[in-house]
Amino acid sequence: MNIAIVGTGYVGLVSGACFADTGASVTCVDVDTEKIERIKRGEIPIYEPGLDELVLKNVKAGRLRFTTSLESVLNDQQIVFSAVGTPPDEDGSADLKYVLQVAKTIGQHLNKYMVVVTKSTVPVGTAKLVRQTIQTELDKRQTDIKFDVASNPEFLKEGNAIKDFMSPDRVVVGVESEMAKEMLTRLYKPFLINNFRVIFMDIPSAEMTKYAANSMLATRISFMNDIANLCERVGADVNMVRAGIGSDTRIGRKFLYAGCGYGGSCFPKDVKALIKTADGMGYSMEVLKAVERVNDAQKHVVFNKLAIAFAKEGLENKTVALWGLSFKPETDDMRESTALVTIDLLKQAGCKIKVYDPVAMTECKRRIGDTVIYARDLYDAVNDADALLLLTEWNEFRLPNWEIVSKVMNKKLLIDGRNIFEKKELESYGFEYHSIGR
Ligand code: UDX
Ligand code: UDX
């Protein structure tokens, strides 16, 4: 099967490599010439476990190739996926200019039947716009070519994307023709051999499913953060509460971890976009508006705890160490990360900031340059520090040598934004320890 994937970002590259690994012939397309040249040299632009090997292996096998020109490869394809970015507009709605640009190019060059699938997260109604855009271009050329549009949202978690792609909980596909349904069934069959879970539906429902799924997960997190903040005030432990409610099968255990707020490229953007879509329809998403407010506030919680601990002496000129910069472990992605919010607050308070992250240091430098000190490792970061803030729960932070940490720190204060440490243990080393909701 010949497929093209337009947009070689996080989603496009993972999807392309995984499809190729099942034997499909895949062409990845991107307008960014430098990115394509780098990938061709074997340099993978993002950090994602297993992706380097998968790309290399399939390039070698001749099933995966890269180009900057969609028009030159378009008519060799049976299915074209669009996985270009949909960054939030200034008002929070998803910006569709890239998605529609791809549709326009397809319309200008299409010579045969094809299924055009949108993988980017796009508001309900976008598939219709994609169809119209392609049709308008075909009409201009006075050509009558049949094509189908479809919607196939992705549910990949960064850091676990290949596993998520290779053995998905489900694949959601919105279609409006039997032909498109058949072709997408064939394409996805290899991933779902044991338990075929492609859920076919109409296109608007598929588009909506993506937003509803991410919004639901974001809601669980904000709800737990709200509960955590209350736990602190009434003397309860949110970890106990999580165990208590998560064992109810109606609730389930996942995505109930209180912490210093959710970040990433999806939750913040998708929650905003859904609120915006609803507003545009004259309907107000009250729950989601609260979810967003709670999350914005939660990104300040670690800093606020620090400020309270230094209420008497003040924070000016204090050295603060940060463990973790990425929005979650196993990625170098810092989009909407709590670390960026915290760094800003610390700067405003006049602190000296030392940071360490196992993979996101380069990304951090790219974003904020030398406005913070980049430590060699986790121990270097805490050397002479007046406080340590844990913001991302990387595995290597879970069992540090507290003997060393407590010796080199100037003041033994630890604020654990992800609840990975135990108060008793930390106190035995003389630390003042704070966490979220415990
Ligand atoms: C993107 C969307 O932002 C998200 O909504 C969706 O769920 C999945 O696809 P991601 O892969 O993380 O997420 O985006 P990004 O890393 O920004 O990659 C988009 C790629 O598309 C970039 O490499 C960009 O150069 C490319 N692009 C953009 C094109 O090839 N053509 C364009 O016209 C615009
Ligand atoms: C998410 C969705 O999980 C995925 O299905 C979708 O396609 C894209 O968006 P991702 O953004 O990669 O994936 O990360 P995810 O693991 O969902 O975490 C998002 C944020 O929520 C992180 O900042 C994480 O720290 C936070 N989180 C997650 C919590 O605070 N508590 C939890 O219990 C789970």
Side-chain angles (χ1 to χ4, degrees):
M1 205 162 201
N2 290 353
I3 67 174
I5 297 177
V6 191
T8 310
Y10 186 80
V11 173
L13 191 55
V14 170
S15 309
C18 290
F19 281 134
D21 208 54
T22 66
S25 173
V26 180
T27 307
C28 286
V29 187
D30 203 292
V31 288
D32 186 338
T33 316
E34 196 192 313
K35 187 182 259 183
I36 290 296
E37 287 312 314
R38 278 181 63 191
I39 301 176
K40 278 184 176 167
R41 286 198 300 272
E43 295 167 29
I44 305 304
I46 49 166
Y47 175 84
E48 179 63 38
L51 187 59
D52 296 36
E53 301 95 272
L54 201 67
V55 169
L56 270 178
K57 172 183 158 199
N58 285 286
V59 167
K60 250 195 194 146
R63 293 186 295 257
L64 181 61
R65 59 199 76 76
F66 298 89
T67 178
T68 53
S69 159
L70 176 58
E71 52 266 39
S72 63
V73 297
L74 182 69
N75 289 300
D76 302 330
Q77 314 303 330
Q78 292 155 289
I79 304 177
V80 174
F81 283 90
S82 175
V84 294
T86 50
D89 255 346
E90 262 154 44
D91 66 354
S93 57
D95 185 346
L96 293 178
K97 67 170 178 278
Y98 301 126
V99 172
L100 296 180
Q101 180 53 47
V102 172
K104 192 169 173 189
T105 308
I106 293 175
Q108 285 166 341
H109 299 276
L110 193 67
N111 281 332
K112 60 182 256 286
Y113 173 82
M114 203 170 290
V115 185
V116 179
V117 189
T118 304
K119 224 181 206 326
S120 307
T121 302
V122 292
V124 181
T126 302
K128 230 173 158 178
L129 288 178
V130 168
R131 164 175 285 293
Q132 278 164 11
T133 308
I134 297 176
Q135 193 58 53
T136 304
E137 294 304 318
L138 290 175
D139 292 346
K140 279 189 203 160
R141 289 162 52 205
Q142 296 179 322
T143 35
D144 182 28
I145 296 164
K146 292 271 160 296
F147 66 94
D148 276 312
V149 293
S151 160
N152 174 213
E154 49 81 20
F155 301 97
L156 308 175
K157 293 185 290 298
E158 295 192 15
N160 202 48
I162 292 177
K163 243 194 241 144
D164 284 348
F165 200 100
M166 292 298 199
S167 38
D169 284 340
R170 78 325 201 168
V171 172
V172 170
V173 184
V175 284
E176 49 189 17
S177 88
E178 272 308 310
M179 182 74 167
K181 185 174 172 182
E182 234 169 69
M183 287 172 69
L184 285 157
T185 303
R186 260 184 68 202
L187 182 66
Y188 272 111
K189 207 151 202 167
F191 301 97
L192 304 150
I193 286 177
N194 296 325
N195 190 358
F196 201 57
R197 281 154 303 181
V198 179
I199 306 174
F200 284 103
M201 56 182 76
D202 61 277
I203 292 179
S205 301
E207 291 171 332
M208 189 68 189
T209 296
K210 173 60 191 274
Y211 282 101
N214 276 352
S215 296
M216 177 69 183
L217 294 170
T219 301
R220 286 170 71 97
I221 298 169
S222 274
F223 175 78
M224 285 311 283
N225 284 334
D226 235 2
I227 293 286
N229 295 338
L230 181 58
C231 279
E232 287 176 9
R233 288 161 174 83
V234 299
D237 180 336
V238 73
N239 273 353
M240 297 290 129
V241 176
R242 175 170 47 80
I245 64 173
S247 51
D248 183 327
T249 51
R250 293 170 304 177
I251 296 174
R253 294 174 192 283
K254 292 181 182 164
F255 274 76
L256 288 181
Y257 288 84
C260 51
Y262 62 76
S265 67
C266 288
F267 287 179
K269 163 170 83 67
D270 293 351
V271 167
K272 260 197 188 60
L274 198 52
I275 290 172
K276 192 70 207 165
T277 301
D279 281 345
M281 298 284 167
Y283 184 75
S284 176
M285 300 292 274
E286 293 300 322
V287 172
L288 286 187
K289 285 178 181 172
V291 166
E292 197 179 26
R293 276 200 307 276
V294 168
N295 194 55
D296 288 344
Q298 201 66 15
K299 288 181 175 176
H300 292 235
V301 160
V302 169
F303 175 83
N304 291 346
K305 286 177 190 277
L306 177 74
I308 291 170
F310 279 91
K312 275 205 192 115
E313 13 175 352
L315 276 169
E316 181 117 40
N317 295 323
K318 295 290 179 242
T319 300
V320 178
L322 258 60
W323 280 0
L325 295 167
S326 55
F327 82 94
K328 68 171 199 182
E330 298 300 329
T331 175
D332 65 350
D333 197 338
M334 288 183 68
R335 283 180 277 186
E336 307 273 344
S337 79
T338 300
L340 287 172
V341 176
T342 309
I343 288 171
D344 269 347
L345 292 167
L346 291 171
K347 280 183 189 163
Q348 282 164 32
C351 298
K352 185 171 150 194
I353 307 163
K354 290 171 83 179
V355 304
Y356 175 71
D357 186 286
V359 305
M361 302 283 264
T362 313
E363 175 60 12
C364 190
K365 267 181 210 160
R366 189 184 71 76
R367 283 173 175 270
I368 63 168
D370 286 327
T371 57
V372 298
I373 299 165
Y374 296 91
R376 278 188 314 278
D377 57 29
L378 65 168
Y379 300 108
D380 183 30
V382 291
N383 203 4
D384 265 342
D386 298 297
L388 165 60
L389 313 182
L390 181 288
L391 299 180
T392 319
E393 68 280 27
W394 283 93
N395 261 341
E396 70 171 77
F397 297 148
R398 286 180 186 267
L399 281 179
N401 186 329
W402 291 120
E403 204 76 61
I404 300 178
V405 177
S406 62
K407 268 198 195 116
V408 301
M409 281 185 76
N410 191 34
K411 183 177 154 114
K412 289 186 246 177
L413 170 64
L414 167 52
I415 299 168
D416 176 0
R418 298 288 174 189
N419 288 350
I420 64 171
F421 303 126
E422 290 310 319
K423 190 180 172 86
K424 257 204 189 127
E425 189 190 359
L426 268 299
E427 283 177 350
S428 75
Y429 288 97
F431 277 92
E432 177 183 341
Y433 174 81
H434 302 280
S435 57
I436 312 290
R438 298 194 292 173

